[in-house]
Amino acid sequence: MKHFIKNYSCILLLPGLLFIQACDKNFEEINTNPDAVSKVTPQYIFSKAQYDGVINSANSSKLLLGTMQYTTSYNDVDGFGSKYVAAQRSLSSVVFSSGYPNQINEIGEVIKAVKNDPTQVNRYAVARIWKAFCFSRLTDLYGDIPYTEAGQGYNKSIFQPAYDAQKDIYADLLKELDEAANSLDANNTTTFGTSDQIYSGDTGQWKKFAYSLMLRLGMRMTKVDATNAQVWVTKAIAGGVIVNYADIAKMTYIGSGQDINKNPMALDLLNSSYIKADGVSNTEGGKYQQVFIDSLKKNNDPRLSVLSVVYVNGIADATPAIQKGMPATINGQKPADFVTYSEPKQTTVLRLASPVLLFTVAETNFLLAEAALRNWYSGETAAALYEKGIRAAMQQWDLISGTTGTITSNQVNAYVSAHPLNTGATFEKQMEQIYNQFWTGIFPDAQEVFANYRRTGYPALVPNNYPGNATGGKIFRRFLYPVNEQTLNTTAYTVAVGRQGADDFLTRIWWDK
Amino acid sequence: MIGLLGLIASYGFSQHFASVNSGRAFSGRAFKTPPSFTEAEQTITLKEAISGLKKRYHFKFAYQQGLLDNKFVSYSLLNNTQLQPEVIVEKMLEGCRLQYKQINKKQFTIFSPEPESKKKPSAEGASNNYYHSSDVPDLSWEEYMEDNEFNMIIKGRVISGEDGQPMPGVSILLKGTTNGTNSDTNGDFNLGIPDEGGVLVFSFIGFSSQEVSVTASQTTLSITMRPDASTLTEVIVTALGIEKDKSSVAYSVTEVKGEEFTQARENNVANALTGKVAGVNATGISTGPGGSSRVIIRGNGSLTGNSQPLYVINGMPIDNSVPGGSATPNGITSNVDRGDGIAAINPDDIESITVLKGGTAAALYGSRGANGVILITTKKGKAQKGIGVEYSSTFTIEKVSVFPDFQYEYGQGEGGVKPTTLAAAQASGRRSFGSKIDGSSDYVAADGLNHPYTAQKDNLKNFYQTGNTFTNTLALAGGNESILYRLSLADLDAKSVLPNSTYNRKTANLNVSAKLSDRLRIESVVQYSLETAKNRASAGDALGNPNWTPYEVANTVDIRWLNPGYDAKDNEIIWNDAAIANNSYFVVNKFKENDDKNRFIGQASIAYDILKNLTVKGIVTRDFYSYNYTNILPTGTAYTPLGEYAGIKSDLSETNGMVTATYKTEIADKFGISILAGTNGRKMEEKRNNFSGKNYIQPYFYSFSNLATSSVTPYTGRTTTNSIFGSVDLDYKSILYLTATGRQDWFSTLSSSNNSIFYPSVGASFVLSDAITLPRIFDMARIRASWAQVGGGGPDPYAINLTYSSVPSASTVPLQNVTQLADGTKAITNVNLKPFTSTTTELGLNIQLINNRLGLDVALYNRRSTNDIVSVPISTTSGYNNAILNSGELSNKGIEVLMTATPVKASNFSWNVSYNFAYNQSEVIKLADGISTFSLGNSANGNAYINNNVGRTYGAIYGYRMLKDASGNTVFDTNAGLPAQTNINQELGKGVPPVTMGFSSDFQYKNISLNFLVDGKFGNKVFSVMEVYATRLGLLKSTLPGREDGLVLNGVTPTGDNYTRTIPVAQLRSAYYNNLNRYTELFIHDGSFIKLRQVILSYGLPVSKIKFLKIQSASIALVGRNLLTLYKKTDNFDPEQSLTNGPAQGIESIGLPRTRSYGVNLMLKF
């Protein structure tokens, strides 16, 4: 009773003004979440935006790792990327669904917090670069996407954002990169500091990353708008791109603790198939695909034994001769010789403490090689850049494995001398050589490979005409929007589909026309 | 036989101390002194006095016509306000040599204790202190016997079946003669009868007459009189526990007696409401014992939020949440229905359940009454000699009742080929696209063994076991005029049809009430319950759902070949191509899912009469539970080989304090007026930790401390609502009643500028039959009308301000994020939220005809929810998953009809029937500016959505159809070689049945009764996930075309050219049937059904014959629930196969199959 009187003294008072005033007493305190804060700390949320922006579920065994024919599975779910099974088509919408409420929302919160503060000019610039990176990943997969109005649900109460044409998105992304790179101020020490898990706040490196992204996005437009492509590529090169090993844009992980602290692609692969590490108990039936392993073997590629193993009596064996990829045509049934197929190596591709490489020296050199071929860049020859690209691609396994000299310089030299760019061949032949190397060298960033495959047609992958596939046996040109966009954002969706073409795997996005 | 005469009702509004009154037995005392009053003292007629009492106290009196004539009482006695009303009645009647029996709190029967017979009533009659009227000859016993030549004396005692007390004043008549007597103060009687025996008729107003044959050998009788409710005007419990005469209420209220729940019982008492009350749509969830229920009254009231009613026990609200949230149709790991709050209530403790159907009835509950209120009154002690002991025991068994109609022509295999190797068998473990079932011997199944290739039709029967439930309740009750008590102890032990799944509920309930003085009363109810469940069936998507194997295993596999589901190393045995489709034997044998809920519900009240007609009452209640849940996915699980862990630890409490003051008076002899004022404070607090983790470091050791990755997410939710409320009740000559209520609520969940709202309600009831003279056939005719506005603040705290939370991370870099809801979604908070309102208008008509043998009650209602606070799923491109908005508008209109009839009412046989019907039409009027649709939920893989669409019904099913051209040809997607899909926004049917009905019938022959209940729901559709898989996997008969020669598909291309494609047998599954999940419409069925819901055959044992056991009454009953489905349109599943008690209804998701149960119930009273 005492307790009652103490806690309900308010209501024991009879109705009256006193009561009314008393009866919402402490309500504000009661309605304050003890486990949350009301003010944002921009650097903390920026760190989260980095983690989320790097998690790229398109680079999963279910999706582009399969499509770009690195991996496959005998089952339809994990094998979707390599088989395009119609029944599993909704898998392709996941990047879109998760992208906006995570990295897009978070980087928006960061920008909102730092934008109008002149002392935080570097944080603002870095956030803009990161935002451009995140959006570019989305638009490259889906084409037209909400951009200008996206992520404004709280700030502007926009619940049904319009889809921007990819052309306009690209124009703005490039403008943003340009402005952000220009606004970076090396003399201003207010950066994200250690909260920046890519460059620890180094403005010089962010500038290189911005220009490298400009190079990447500029090259995307070669097919649809070569003139502007050249403008932006030229501008990017002039600004300074990532050409040194130390400048590689990479997200670091400690490899233990929470899932967020682990290399997301390695984690995804482990959870899908490889956690038991015995070659047999592959949960989702994943293995390397025949196309990839055959190519590495054919070229005596030293990377084969770095990235691939076969389990022999339960022991991982990286001997190149016994490596064998699984065909993507297997229909549902676990093959009797399943154990004999190659799979990702636990100490490299599946290493939870390895960094995710976001922009590498290899990519710069391959793109520059193409620019040289197109006579947009004359600083070095295409052949030299091509060779530098291969060397850089081999060297970057040091980062992934955490061990220097993973591929010895002898191995690199031997490979390089056996694979020179055939400068006498046609433009197309040379392009094919560059982008075959890109395919091998940029692995496991299948999304970047997928973009350049669509733009250049290389590597000349042979599609898998699997029973019940959704594409008539053709490789995707884009991913499908989430079906609930049809319901929750009907008007904007309808306009986008009307402009871009049917919401189909084979509809080509703007830069792929 | 005493007919029903002069039953006059008056209306009242009382705060009398319930238990004392109801416990009060007889005032049938011996009159020692005839009261005398002098000539000078002012007298009035007894009739006038009784009439005055009726008005003042709103009592009702029943008496034989003429009984009150020519009798006078003291006027001062009538106006003596120092005395308790019952005492006044007693003293008045004493003076007139009459007695009364109190039938219930408001109802009295007046009778003369004197023998009706002119004959000497009994041998002991002379020594009895009865007053005899002068016209009864004062004969000696011997003279009496001689006069009548009776050779035999029947002795006996009459007991009230209501309270087990002796019943004086009961008329006992030898049928066909004028020979009779009345029972005495002790209920005893003696009657001389002729040698050949005869039939004795026992009668008493307000009770059913009984006829008993007596023979010479029988000399002692024990008769139990049963109250006859139909002859009495009912008093019902309304909002805040206020009791009202049924004819005074301006809205529809339905009461269901406790017995209806105790014989053929449901573990969750709310499920037992199915079919019993018009307008109440109760659905038991297909999740096994201890599962939740979904009860919706008059349609869903909120667009996304909670539409379930408030549960109130003895006037105070309890929590009905499901710890950790409801299961969802597409949920994955740990998608378990963990049981709701009402599941903890033991039916044996329930005296009655009253359903207040929404706004008008529940306006006094303010924000929480918007969806109606279910009032549960628990049993209390009764004043009696000694201790009353009641024991009830029920044992029921439960069996799977619905089996799919699969094809058994083609067996396990792929591409027309049966498996002959282990690898092929594992690949096709869930595929029945093999060769013709021919009994051949080279077939190999997933166990690696050779089996004959024959159809296995009993996999459901072989996997599921016979479940059972054993419930025992022991209650001790008793008391005296000043203190009453009842203690009950109950144990429910249930074994699910799912192997290794059990549920146990223990409850202890103590109710003590005391009258400390004439003016001060206290009452306390304490309930403690402990619910423990093991391995509740999960449902939804594959992961860990134990129902997937029995429903999906290939049709030539005997599911028992997969038993026990694990190998020597405890690893799951692979039986199919998808690791996530667990081996069900592994799930039931190795998954470790446990939960327990310790719950305490306590309430204490104190009431004090400041004046005779002014009472103040204070009450405080607390409903608290501590809940623990762990779900261990063990080491060796195929899809997560190192295991996973999920846990919930939740402490939740709801505390309420309420003070009320009631005052009643009378103005100018014509107007009765009652006024109530009160305040209420409510606090909810939830402290929860969600545990999750993965990968046991040390295999097979299942501790949270042994996880490679783990995190704990805390949640603290606090809300407070403060209120003031009041009501005024007026009655004019008991003909016209007017009620007005008002309530003001303040919500902590809203911002201070917008946190309060006032809810008014008004109602009127007009008793036509008392106002004008109607034809004799009408016993009663009444019309009623009411209007009410109720509403509420947001149910969830922290919805007004955007906040940021830390994200668990092992790195030294701090992480922060926009605060997410418990389910990981991000919601846009809204500082402008204001309270929502729900406005209900109701009209009703109530008629009783032909001596109350026919009754009709009709209600029309119109309910409109505006400014609904909804968490709307929005396009994720907004950066958020949901927006909390305040603009939803929803309408529910409907009609409810209740018809009752007594076709036969003979002395030892009666037949009562009751039929209820309800139709509810819902319409989503508005969602939010620019938003025309949103989703309440979807099936696994997003094949079907339950959406609210503006202008359409609440919760309709949406999905894809096959695209057709103008001439009806199927348009093909030539890339995929499959029929093209339409867009996903095709409305395919209502998820909630608009029509519900129930028909019940009670036969009573002597002490045998037969009761059955048939109920039906109509007009909804169900999407079946089970059929999606049974199609993709070749189990349904619809997958037979093309098995021999391939399947030819015909249609047109998008440009209109003819299109033909032949699917070879080898690709029949992969290229065609596997992809049919794209066409939602193929798996939509009419969900209408009629079921024989309940049958009870009970027999009242003649306990008087075994008197030495001192049993007062005993009954044994054969009971059955869900026995038969009389009508349904779904061939392969039960249309009630729902698995969530959330708003997304209309999806069957491979939950636990529906069962029928039958058993026996024994009830004893000592």
Side-chain angles (χ1 to χ4, degrees), chain B residues 854-875:
Chain B
L854 269 180
L856 174 71
D857 190 329
V858 181
L860 290 166
Y861 61 88
N862 184 349
R863 176 182 179 203
R864 201 176 180 100
S865 310
T866 44
N867 296 326
D868 193 15
I869 298 179
V870 288
S871 181
V872 183
I874 54 174
S875 169

Side-chain angles (χ1 to χ4, degrees), chain A residues 311-358:
Chain A
Y311 283 88
V312 180
N313 298 322
I315 308 293
D317 187 337
T319 308
I322 65 165
Q323 303 305 317
K324 182 171 81 173
M326 193 165 78
T329 49
I330 296 177
N331 187 352
Q333 184 169 329
K334 188 176 185 174
D337 58 353
F338 184 75
V339 70
T340 66
Y341 293 109
S342 296
E343 58 185 64
K345 195 172 185 174
Q346 296 277 334
T347 53
T348 56
V349 179
L350 300 178
R351 194 170 75 97
L352 291 170
S354 69
V356 169
L357 310 186
L358 302 170

Side-chain angles (χ1 to χ4, degrees), chain A residues 4-25, chain B residues 657-661 677-681 722-725 746:
Chain A
F4 169 74
I5 291 168
K6 203 169 125 198
N7 286 325
Y8 293 91
S9 53
C10 150
I11 58 150
L12 281 167
L13 298 171
L14 284 172
L17 197 63
L18 244 177
F19 169 79
I20 291 168
Q21 281 173 346
C23 265
D24 58 359
K25 208 179 144 193
Chain B
M658 181 164 79
V659 177
T660 57
T679 69
N680 185 202
N722 291 332
S723 319
I724 54 172
F725 53 85
W746 287 261

